[in-house]
């Protein structure tokens, strides 16, 4: 499994090499001669990145996407012939359905950034003043961090949550405002806890 750094000793002895994300690591693995089968998984993030332009897809035995619309985009743009869609999965035992009366609390979990649609989320919050928006996450851009110092009264900022099931316990909705998210894990996990998803398409 390659995600942070390529270990050539591992490549030499592996039967299968799984590369997560179409990054510089994927380029290194595609060009490295070894006997292992090479698998590349592409997410929405890297489907629109600069690095994907340098991927030679035919050097991988299989290219995996987690969502059909991301597969369609990359196949159309780069002519990938050896791809399939395998959706993300979760351990449903970790996300029990929480029983409580429906309320006005909307959860968001993840990075607080432009690519996640944080600006759109704040506009929705301003347009729905009777709902509470509970955001759990981390900032990725300094200007977004500065912008979010003045939040609408119905937006509540929490730190990154390592137990999302507990965070979802008293919420009724889960929102995803990303314009390109392939398959948001936080939404799947929230749905498994019984939250109604608020997503575009």
């Amino acid at each position: 499994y390659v995600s942070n750094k390529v270990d050539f000793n591992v490549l030499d002895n592996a039967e299968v090499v799984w590369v997560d994300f179409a990054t510089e690591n994927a380029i290194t693995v595609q060009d490295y001669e070894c006997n292992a089968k090479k698998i590349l998984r592409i997410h929405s993030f890297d489907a629109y990145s600069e690095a994907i332009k340098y991927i030679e897809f035919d050097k991988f035995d299989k290219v995996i996407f987690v969502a059909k619309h991301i597969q369609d985009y990359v196949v159309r743009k780069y002519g990938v012939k050896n791809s399939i869609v395998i959706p993300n999965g979760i351990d449903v035992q970790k996300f029990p359905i929480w029983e409580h009366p429906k309320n006005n609390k909307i959860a968001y979990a993840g990075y607080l950034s432009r690519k996640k649609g944080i600006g759109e989320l704040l506009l929705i919050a301003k347009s729905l003043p009777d709902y509470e928006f509970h955001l759990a996450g981390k900032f990725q851009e300094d200007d977004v961090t500065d912008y979010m110092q003045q939040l609408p009264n119905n937006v509540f900022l929490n730190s990154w949550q390592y137990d999302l099931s507990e965070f979802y316990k008293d919420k009724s909705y889960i929102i995803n405002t990303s314009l390109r998210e392939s398959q948001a894990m936080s939404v799947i996990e929230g749905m498994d806890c019984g939250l109604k998803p608020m997503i575009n398409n």
Side-chain angles (χ1 to χ4, degrees), residues 47-124:
Y48 299 95
S49 71
E50 185 67 20
I52 200 168
K53 298 174 183 175
Y54 303 97
I55 300 292
E56 295 178 51
F57 295 99
D58 58 346
K59 290 187 175 181
F60 289 91
D61 294 277
K62 191 62 69 177
V63 179
I64 298 172
F65 296 89
V66 297
K68 183 80 169 79
H69 71 285
I70 299 299
Q71 180 193 38
D72 291 344
Y73 169 77
V74 175
V75 167
R76 185 175 65 249
K77 190 153 178 94
Y78 301 105
V80 184
K81 295 181 175 64
N82 54 342
S83 69
I84 58 170
V85 174
I86 301 177
N88 286 324
I90 63 169
D91 181 351
V92 296
Q93 302 302 318
K94 293 181 179 178
F95 299 94
I97 293 179
W98 297 111
E99 300 287 347
H100 60 75
K102 182 178 171 184
N103 59 38
N104 68 341
K105 294 183 178 182
I106 300 170
Y108 171 90
Y111 288 106
L112 306 168
S113 65
R114 283 192 184 85
K115 71 182 179 188
K116 295 289 188 176
I118 196 64
E120 288 80 359
L121 191 148
L122 293 178
L123 286 173
I124 293 169

Side-chain angles (χ1 to χ4, degrees), residues 9 27 86 114 130 132 144 156 172 175 186:
N9 290 326
I27 297 167
I86 301 177
R114 283 192 184 85
D130 294 335
E132 294 180 6
V144 172
F156 304 91
S172 289
I175 191 168
S186 61

